[in-house]
Amino acid sequence: MASRLLLQNLSKRHLLRSTFAFRSASTLVLAEHEGGLIKAQSLSAVVAANSLSQDNPVSLLLAGSGSSLHQAAEKAATCHPSISQVLVADSEKFAYPLAEPWAKLIQLVQLKGDYSHVIATSDSFGKNILPRAAALLDVSPVTDVVDINGPRQFIRPIYAGNALCTVRYTGANPCMLTVRSTSFPVPPISVDSKSGGASISEVDLSTLDEDSVGKSRFMKLSSQDTGRPDLGSAKIVVTGGRALKSAENFKMIEKLAEKLGAAVGATRAAVDAGFVPNDLQVGQTGKIVAPELYMAFGVSGAIQHLAGMKDSKIIVAVNKDSDAPIFQVADYGLVGDLFEVIPELLEKLPEKK
């Protein structure tokens, strides 16, 4: 009898705690900025936050230093109606997105704000920072979320995207998530200019540990100013595989991308062979993309690569092997030699205006 009463009391407490957590839901979104603008992937995290509950105030956390940070904060305050507050951490410690200072910052903001959820995107930024912050807060993160069924129930891919797993989070607050930006597209938004946007607040960093910089140091940033769209957010992606045989031949992919106004992607095999840098890799261990048009040349369709692009709206594949797995997911397929197909496309396609 005593055991039954104890179980009933525990059940009531759990129900009350769950109800309270649901009613008091509030979300902290970790946002990236560059050149005074919020990156599009961060807005996808805001869209994901809207799926948690109806009454869910969203706070956007920006960190960095200098005028570009405050320009990004002003843009963030009016970029999405769901954002109720923009938190700004201005310090040289956050000049570069290193995991150690960012994790300490998240811990500091969480202790003050007591958020029910913390969300970042499943890119190099979120994957680098969120797990370390989760360890400091002693919670277990839920990663690579592609759908949200409630404040504590999520869907994420497993087995390289061949199966979907429903996960129920039963731990303490905050529930920390990384979400795939391709699964939470940002709809066209018209922000009411009369509303004035979200409030902007400075984060008090006086209590931040002096040793929060940690053992890692920023060395340098290597980037190619090609003028092409960003691979993670491009509407058209042209990808090449190992069948291109050399870095010189891969330039055909780059020329085709320039004509189409597309981003360039590559398979892991092409990256490992040294044809292109690894920041162009598409797949399970690279970038996850879902463009309007995905063109694959000389891509066999390994399961790890398909996991990073199979959500594309239209997939076009060119391969000499008619049995290549890429044709199983392609909307349009051409069995042919890419060294004949690409030059013909370059000849017939008009120059980009």
Side-chain angles (χ1 to χ4, degrees), residues 34 221-230 254 258 277 279-280:
E34 186 177 25
L221 174 65
S222 299
S223 61
Q224 297 179 338
D225 187 14
T226 60
R228 289 192 293 264
D230 177 67
E254 296 173 354
E258 288 176 6
D279 60 329
L280 298 184

Side-chain angles (χ1 to χ4, degrees), residues 244-263:
L244 283 153
K245 300 180 180 179
S246 69
E248 185 66 27
N249 290 336
F250 206 92
K251 291 180 180 178
M252 292 193 299
I253 297 290
E254 296 173 354
K255 290 179 181 178
L256 181 59
E258 288 176 6
K259 279 208 168 187
L260 295 171

Side-chain angles (χ1 to χ4, degrees), residues 43-204:
L43 291 181
S44 294
V46 175
V47 174
N50 288 337
S51 304
L52 293 169
S53 66
Q54 292 182 346
D55 299 323
N56 178 27
V58 176
S59 298
L60 201 72
L61 177 59
L62 292 171
S65 63
S67 58
S68 64
L69 170 65
H70 295 279
Q71 291 174 7
E74 292 175 3
K75 295 285 186 182
T78 58
C79 70
H80 200 286
S82 298
I83 299 174
S84 60
Q85 183 183 31
V86 178
L87 301 175
V88 179
D90 190 349
S91 172
E92 288 297 328
K93 293 179 181 180
F94 310 115
Y96 306 103
L98 298 177
E100 288 93 336
W102 256 95
K104 286 284 187 179
L105 173 63
I106 295 167
Q107 182 186 33
L108 174 67
V109 173
Q110 172 61 25
L111 291 175
K112 291 182 179 179
D114 192 24
Y115 297 95
S116 62
H117 296 78
V118 178
I119 299 181
T121 50
S122 292
D123 53 14
S124 57
F125 173 78
K127 290 178 179 178
N128 184 36
I129 292 169
L130 197 98
R132 191 179 187 93
L136 291 177
L137 294 169
D138 196 24
V139 298
S140 179
V142 183
T143 59
D144 270 350
V145 172
V146 297
D147 199 6
I148 296 175
N149 291 340
R152 303 233 161 187
Q153 186 164 304
F154 315 101
I155 296 177
R156 63 184 301 274
I158 56 175
Y159 302 125
N162 282 308
L164 295 175
C165 176
T166 300
V167 179
R168 182 182 294 276
Y169 180 76
T170 59
N173 283 346
C175 175
M176 303 188 76
L177 313 170
T178 61
V179 298
R180 288 192 178 181
S181 58
T182 55
S183 299
F184 298 93
V186 182
I189 299 169
S190 58
V191 180
D192 186 3
S193 59
K194 297 180 181 179
S195 64
S199 62
I200 302 176
S201 304
E202 291 274 352
V203 177
D204 182 8

